[in-house]
Amino acid sequence: DTEVTQTPKHLVMGMTNKKSLKCEQHMGHRAMYWYKQKAKKPPELMFVYSYEKLSINESVPSRFSPECPNSSLLNLHLHALQPEDSALYLCASSPISDGPYEQYFGPGTRLTVT
Amino acid sequence: AQSVTQLGSHVSVSEGALVLLRCNYSSSVPPYLFWYVQYPNQGLQLLLKYTSAATLVKGINGFEAEFKKSETSFHLTKPSAHMSDAAEYFCAVSDEGANNLFFGTGTRLTVIP
């Protein structure tokens, strides 16, 4: 199984809502990532988890809260988002080894904040 | 710091023509280089990767890329474009031992029938 799955595919939420994005992989990868991608732009790294521990936080606002409950699952909890947070949120995973660190991406969650 | 530059935000080719997408990297150490493709409303799919084992790298869907250290380039080519190749293409670089991928700004490929 070489697939990264993400749910939901689409999400519309108000600025006062709390919602969560879910990502799952069963490739045995021990690094998992969240990216944000705006239209016509490259993905921007948000968070990196290595061995279920947060290793990189790219100065992301606290209204985004990541969680890695186990080696296969990655969540992104959303609260009090702003309209400018509307974007495609991509999850990825990769092996941790001597490299190269090719990342496997999920299909993304299209988030709209109203 | 690692970075890649993709020349040309939009490239148009005729069906059956050569595809050439340009990527130049900036790195103080031998890099790992990747090409990803993104179809509309989808995630990124790895096309190929350079790992220093061979300078000419073959990927999926008939694409290949050549690592040229003297030119700090890793251009993506395909001899004959298909309509299904229309997508956004991203070049990316990472350091050995790093978890980060640094993406270029992307090149949108249009294939004209």
Side-chain angles (χ1 to χ4, degrees), chain B residues 50-82:
Chain B
Y50 168 72
T51 63
S52 77
T55 56
L56 183 62
V57 182
K58 294 188 184 298
I60 62 172
N61 301 339
F63 284 93
E64 63 181 37
E66 186 172 8
F67 175 75
K68 292 187 176 180
K69 186 176 179 180
S70 61
E71 299 177 8
T72 62
S73 69
F74 189 58
H75 301 332
L76 182 71
T77 60
K78 182 174 180 177
S80 176
H82 295 163

Side-chain angles (χ1 to χ4, degrees), chain A residues 62-84:
Chain A
S62 60
R63 57 186 183 268
F64 295 92
S65 175
E67 178 195 21
C68 190
N70 58 57
S71 60
S72 300
L73 191 56
L74 186 66
N75 298 320
L76 185 63
H77 303 298
L78 314 173
H79 173 54
L81 294 192
Q82 303 297 309
E84 60 265 29

Side-chain angles (χ1 to χ4, degrees), chain B:
Chain B
Q2 301 279 38
S3 68
V4 289
T5 301
Q6 292 184 243
L7 295 176
S9 59
H10 191 192
V11 170
S12 293
V13 300
S14 297
E15 190 174 16
L18 172 72
V19 176
L20 171 61
L21 305 182
R22 299 177 185 274
C23 175
N24 288 87
Y25 69 90
S26 171
S27 173
S28 58
V29 298
Y32 293 132
L33 292 160
F34 309 84
W35 275 100
Y36 283 87
V37 61
Q38 186 175 31
Y39 298 101
N41 298 312
Q42 293 188 26
L44 279 70
Q45 180 182 12
L46 180 68
L47 277 176
L48 48 82
K49 63 187 180 189
Y50 168 72
T51 63
S52 77
T55 56
L56 183 62
V57 182
K58 294 188 184 298
I60 62 172
N61 301 339
F63 284 93
E64 63 181 37
E66 186 172 8
F67 175 75
K68 292 187 176 180
K69 186 176 179 180
S70 61
E71 299 177 8
T72 62
S73 69
F74 189 58
H75 301 332
L76 182 71
T77 60
K78 182 174 180 177
S80 176
H82 295 163
M83 296 298 296
S84 60
D85 294 327
E88 189 84 20
Y89 291 80
F90 292 99
C91 182
V93 64
S94 72
D95 279 336
E96 182 177 3
N99 282 348
N100 297 23
L101 274 180
F102 298 92
F103 286 94
T105 51
T107 297
R108 179 167 298 276
L109 176 66
T110 299
V111 182
I112 303 166

Side-chain angles (χ1 to χ4, degrees), chain A residues 9-64:
Chain A
K9 189 171 183 178
H10 300 278
L11 179 63
V12 179
M13 60 185 291
M15 290 190 286
T16 59
N17 291 158
K18 286 185 180 181
K19 297 286 185 182
S20 297
L21 310 184
K22 179 180 173 180
C23 172
E24 199 161 7
Q25 57 89 12
H26 296 286
M27 294 179 278
H29 293 170
R30 301 305 296 275
M32 296 186 76
Y33 312 78
W34 280 115
Y35 288 87
K36 174 183 178 180
Q37 187 179 26
K38 301 284 276 185
K40 303 185 189 302
K41 297 291 187 182
E44 299 174 23
L45 183 66
M46 300 174 72
F47 303 103
V48 180
Y49 274 82
S50 298
Y51 297 108
E52 296 86 67
K53 295 190 186 305
L54 184 64
S55 60
I56 295 176
N57 176 342
E58 292 288 353
S59 302
V60 179
S62 60
R63 57 186 183 268
F64 295 92

